[in-house]
Amino acid sequence: MLEFLKDYPAIGGICIATIFSALGYFGKSIIELILEKRRKKTEQKEFLWKEKIEAAKKASEYYFENLSYLKLVKQNFETQLNGENYSPVLNDSFQSHLTLISDRIKNPENFQHHHIRIFYDIDESDLDQINEESFIIIQKMDMLVILESDDEESIREKQNQMKILNSQLKDNFEKTASIYKSLLDKIRKDLSSIVD
């Protein structure tokens, strides 16, 4: 081989240059392939983190709206049970605020809070049970209508039952708020690890 290079230096030089060019090209291609895979992985991670943050944001908005709604409903029940009456203007304002929050919770865009389930396992069995109990309690409360024909003892009995039911409903609202807050804490803790 050495003799061939001595006899034909130009051809030998071209062969050596071609071999090293081919090795360089393959080496460069392998390095680019590795770097491209890393870049794609980084882009995928970035995309998923952005999606996770957006889902967390939507879930936070939904849970805070729901908490706000529960607090207003609880306050309304307490006010009615204590026999306090709002002024008509305040009552209208209160009802319109409740309606506004209720509409925002029902808005289809708000259902994007379910995207958080892509990233977290959220067990809603406790929430479902609490909601079912609350629904039953509210049905019982609706059935406790004070009629003009009721005597004082029956009115007091209905008011006592209403207070008991209201207390149970308040407990359910507090349990729901606690569950929402724990979900938000879990999400917030996870997102803070991203930022740190």
Side-chain angles (χ1 to χ4, degrees), residues 28 38 43-44 46 71 92 96 113 152 170 178:
K28 179 183 169 233
R38 284 186 182 170
E43 285 178 357
Q44 284 177 337
E46 182 182 335
K71 285 179 184 178
D92 290 344
S96 66
H113 74 279
E152 286 184 37
K170 236 169 75 171
S178 174

Side-chain angles (χ1 to χ4, degrees), residues 8-151:
Y8 305 101
I11 294 175
I14 290 174
C15 287
I16 291 174
T18 304
I19 290 171
F20 281 110
S21 294
L23 287 174
Y25 176 77
F26 286 123
K28 179 183 169 233
S29 296
I30 290 172
I31 290 171
E32 283 179 352
L33 184 65
I34 291 170
L35 291 176
E36 182 67 19
K37 280 186 179 181
R38 284 186 182 170
R39 186 183 61 76
K40 281 187 178 183
K41 263 188 179 177
T42 304
E43 285 178 357
Q44 284 177 337
K45 283 182 183 178
E46 182 182 335
F47 174 76
L48 286 175
W49 283 118
K50 284 180 181 178
E51 284 296 312
K52 189 173 189 177
I53 289 171
E54 188 64 28
K57 187 173 103 176
K58 292 291 184 187
S60 298
E61 289 172 1
Y62 175 79
Y63 292 141
F64 280 124
E65 292 275 340
N66 231 342
L67 286 173
S68 174
Y69 180 76
L70 292 175
K71 285 179 184 178
L72 282 174
V73 170
K74 185 175 92 171
Q75 181 183 2
N76 189 31
F77 276 127
E78 287 175 352
T79 303
Q80 289 176 1
L81 277 178
N82 293 335
E84 300 170 14
N85 288 324
Y86 294 123
S87 69
V89 173
L90 187 58
N91 192 31
D92 290 344
S93 171
F94 181 79
Q95 289 301 326
S96 66
H97 196 64
L98 258 179
T99 304
L100 176 71
I101 292 175
S102 177
D103 289 344
R104 280 194 301 217
I105 290 171
K106 293 179 205 170
N107 184 353
E109 284 185 18
N110 256 348
F111 293 125
Q112 292 178 3
H113 74 279
H114 291 295
H115 294 173
I116 199 70
R117 294 179 185 175
I118 295 170
F119 303 103
Y120 298 96
D121 289 327
I122 297 175
D123 181 18
E124 290 191 349
S125 58
D126 290 342
L127 279 173
D128 291 341
Q129 182 181 358
I130 292 169
N131 287 338
E132 192 175 312
E133 289 173 10
S134 296
F135 181 72
I136 292 169
I137 291 169
I138 290 171
Q139 282 182 326
K140 288 179 182 177
M141 291 173 99
D142 280 345
M143 292 170 59
L144 290 174
V145 177
I146 296 176
L147 304 172
E148 287 182 28
S149 61
D150 288 344
D151 60 355

